């Protein structure tokens, strides 16, 4: 477009193009590539009528072709780059909008604690959230008895801190590993986790579903390893092998104050070797690291797993300060002191740094694999 009838054939011929059968009769005196430079621009008296315009690309002069040999093709051009703003627009205000909306609606977090009786599961949960959220504290006066089978009990609380509301659900598993015959004692736990996935899936596939689907899926499972100081038991290995495929498992060494520092370090090393030998992937999983920064942070966490923790829900006076700890005749074990135990690392992992990541992996990985399996089963003929 924009060439005269005399120049279009010559220019296209120089580029090696074939000419249409009609509408290309030369008119006027311009011929050749040199004469093409004299053609008037489009709209400035061009003799090419609208109904006779060609869809072929315009010709490129021979001299200009030699200069453009090193030009980058259009398909290989780099992607869009950041645009520099000349003034304040207010894009960053979307973070404030998200924060205000989250503070109004709140969010949900569901945690499960698994381990034998007497390992301090309820005390550890109370220490994590600095409130009475365990099943033992919610049922005062009742005699604590070991059930004959694994019975799951869930308690829901609403915790608020600085205007942020969190609906916390703690699921305890009394009776796990307390029997002489612990065969398939993990089946009720697996069934409960899958039931929560099924409940969420049924709400999700409805034609008219809720704007916010109630989330009862287990986002993290804290598994309490007895402080034997030797190695993982077959029960521990089998539980983590089965559960790590459907939920985020975080192993911890319970009542770590019963071990010396040397015993603790040796016990952790043996547990890490057992996990690697049996190909058990606990949280945070290496396969789900998003970028190098996440990988570097998670590598430091994986070096410390399993965390050697001590739980306490009572405060004591230490150097003029009130601290959470366990009082012994040798002194006070401060649970929030990294020199005494690794409880601060567990708290940071579950609440302060990886809480949202726990929920994302639960939704995008574990729930997604369950969803695909269930939909394939429903679509299978017969």
């Amino acid at each position: 477009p924009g060439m005269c009838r005399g120049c279009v054939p010559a220019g296209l011929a120089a580029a090696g193009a074939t000419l249409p059968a009609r509408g290309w009769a030369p008119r006027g005196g311009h011929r050749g590539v040199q004469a093409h430079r004299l053609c008037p621009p489009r709209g400035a008296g061009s003799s090419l009528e609208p109904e006779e315009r060609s869809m072929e690309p315009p010709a490129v002069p021979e001299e200009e072709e030699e200069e453009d040999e090193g030009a980058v093709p259009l398909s290989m051009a780099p992607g869009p780059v950041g645009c520099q703003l000349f003034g304040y627009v207010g894009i960053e205000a979307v973070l404030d909008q998200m924060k205000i909306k989250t503070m109004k609606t709140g969010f949900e977090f569901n945690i499960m604690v698994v381990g034998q009786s007497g390992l301090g599961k309820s005390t550890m949960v109370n220490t994590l959230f600095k409130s009475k959220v365990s099943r033992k504290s919610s049922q005062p006066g009742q005699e604590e008895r070991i059930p004959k089978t694994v019975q799951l009990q869930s308690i829901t609380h609403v915790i608020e801190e600085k205007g942020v509301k969190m609906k916390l659900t703690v699921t305890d598993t009394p009776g796990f590993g307390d029997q002489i015959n612990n065969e398939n004692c993990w089946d009720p736990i697996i069934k409960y986790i899958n039931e929560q996935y099924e409940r969420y899936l049924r709400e999700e596939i409805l034609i008219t579903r809720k704007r916010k689907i109630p989330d009862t899926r287990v986002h993290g499972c804290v598994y309490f390893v007895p402080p034997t100081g030797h190695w993982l038991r077959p029960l521990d290995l089998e539980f983590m092998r089965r559960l790590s495929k459907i939920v985020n498992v975080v192993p911890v060494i319970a009542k770590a104050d019963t071990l010396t520092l040397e015993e603790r370090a040796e016990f952790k090393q043996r547990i890490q070797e057992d996990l690697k030998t049996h190909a058990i992937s606990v949280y945070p999983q290496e396969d789900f690291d998003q970028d190098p920064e996440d990988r570097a942070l998670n590598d430091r966490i994986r070096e410390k797993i399993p965390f050697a923790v001590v739980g306490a829900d009572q405060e004591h006076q230490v150097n003029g300060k009130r601290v959470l700890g366990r009082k012994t005749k040798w002194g006070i074990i401060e649970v929030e002191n990294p020199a005494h135990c690794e409880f601060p690392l567990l708290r940071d992992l579950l609440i302060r740094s990886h809480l949202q990541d726990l929920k994302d992996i639960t939704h995008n990985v574990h729930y997604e694999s369950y969803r695909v399996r269930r939909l394939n089963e429903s679509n299978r003929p017969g």
Side-chain angles (χ1 to χ4, degrees):
M3 300 182 187
C4 67
R5 289 191 172 188
C7 294
V8 169
L12 293 179
T18 58
L19 302 180
R22 56 186 298 276
W24 291 95
R27 180 195 303 173
H30 294 90
R31 294 190 182 279
V33 179
Q34 299 294 334
H36 168 70
R37 296 180 178 177
L38 301 177
C39 293
R42 185 177 181 180
S46 173
S47 60
L48 187 62
E49 284 124 12
E51 62 273 12
E52 294 180 352
R53 289 178 181 174
S54 172
M55 299 302 294
E56 298 290 338
V60 180
E62 294 178 352
E63 295 87 355
E64 294 181 9
E65 284 182 353
E66 296 178 359
E67 297 176 0
D68 296 338
E69 286 179 357
V72 180
L74 183 60
S75 60
M76 297 176 59
V81 297
C83 180
Q84 185 177 2
L85 304 178
F86 296 105
Y88 179 74
V89 178
I91 301 176
E92 64 177 3
V94 68
L95 298 177
D96 297 332
Q97 300 173 25
M98 296 171 62
K99 180 180 178 181
I100 294 173
K101 186 174 181 180
T102 304
M103 292 178 67
K104 288 181 179 179
T105 59
F107 61 97
E108 299 161 325
F109 184 62
N110 309 316
I111 187 173
M112 174 183 286
V113 290
V114 183
Q116 290 181 348
S117 300
L119 293 181
K121 301 187 297 296
S122 301
T123 304
M124 178 58 61
V125 174
N126 293 338
T127 310
L128 273 173
F129 300 98
K130 293 186 177 181
S131 58
K132 303 294 183 180
V133 295
S134 65
R135 63 180 178 88
K136 183 182 298 184
S137 60
S138 63
Q139 298 175 353
Q142 295 187 6
E143 184 180 358
E144 193 72 19
R145 295 180 179 179
I146 297 177
K148 295 182 180 181
T149 58
V150 179
Q151 300 175 358
L152 280 76
Q153 300 177 358
S154 298
I155 295 179
T156 301
H157 299 270
V158 177
I159 302 176
E160 184 174 355
E161 183 181 26
K162 295 183 179 180
V164 180
K165 295 181 180 180
M166 181 177 71
K167 184 180 179 181
L168 173 66
T169 301
V170 179
T171 304
D172 199 355
T173 56
F176 176 83
D178 294 333
Q179 311 302 322
I180 297 177
N181 183 9
N182 292 306
E183 184 180 3
N184 298 330
C185 62
W186 47 77
D187 286 346
I189 300 175
I190 295 177
K191 180 182 178 182
Y192 175 82
I193 294 174
N194 289 332
E195 284 176 354
Q196 309 315 309
Y197 290 152
E198 182 69 22
R199 181 180 300 180
Y200 192 91
L201 178 61
R202 290 179 180 177
E203 291 286 343
E204 192 179 42
I205 63 178
L206 291 177
I207 298 178
T208 57
R209 57 186 180 183
K210 302 175 183 178
R211 292 186 58 185
K212 184 179 180 181
I213 301 177
D215 191 3
T216 59
R217 299 169 297 181
V218 179
H219 301 129
C221 175
V222 182
Y223 184 74
F224 287 74
V225 179
T228 60
H230 299 291
W231 49 76
L232 289 175
R233 304 168 301 170
L235 175 63
D236 303 328
L237 292 172
E238 189 65 20
F239 175 85
M240 287 189 283
R241 186 184 68 83
R242 292 173 179 266
L243 269 292
S244 61
K245 299 177 182 179
I246 62 174
V247 72
N248 299 314
V249 178
V250 181
V252 299
I253 301 175
K255 293 189 174 182
D257 54 333
T258 60
L259 301 173
T260 63
L261 296 180
E262 292 78 11
E263 291 174 343
R264 182 193 303 179
E266 186 177 356
F267 190 32
K268 291 181 63 172
Q269 184 177 0
R270 288 179 179 176
I271 292 176
Q272 292 175 357
E273 292 175 358
D274 287 344
L275 294 177
K276 187 177 298 184
T277 302
H278 293 82
I280 298 174
S281 179
V282 297
Y283 183 84
Q285 300 90 336
E286 295 184 10
D287 299 337
F288 305 147
D289 292 338
Q290 297 288 339
D291 50 50
E293 293 183 0
D294 292 344
R295 180 175 294 275
L297 174 60
N298 293 337
D299 284 342
R300 293 194 297 268
I301 295 175
R302 283 187 281 264
E303 292 176 358
K304 299 290 185 179
I305 285 180
F307 300 120
V309 298
V310 178
D313 51 7
Q314 295 182 358
E315 291 185 344
H316 300 277
Q317 192 81 13
V318 177
N319 297 328
K321 296 181 180 179
R322 304 290 295 179
V323 297
L324 285 173
R326 296 175 61 89
K327 187 176 181 180
T328 66
K329 63 180 181 179
W330 299 281
I332 296 177
I333 303 173
E334 303 176 26
V335 298
E336 294 181 320
N337 188 345
H340 292 186
C341 70
E342 295 176 342
F343 169 79
L345 300 178
L346 175 64
R347 179 191 57 197
D348 293 347
L349 176 68
L350 295 179
I351 302 176
R352 299 187 179 181
S353 62
H354 286 68
L355 188 147
Q356 187 60 43
D357 188 63
L358 284 165
K359 300 181 64 175
D360 292 342
I361 292 182
T362 299
H363 180 76
N364 298 326
V365 179
H366 299 304
Y367 168 72
E368 193 67 23
S369 61
Y370 177 85
R371 174 180 170 273
V372 171
R373 184 173 70 252
R374 287 287 290 115
L375 293 180
N376 286 335
E377 292 175 357
S378 62
N379 294 331
R380 191 176 301 165

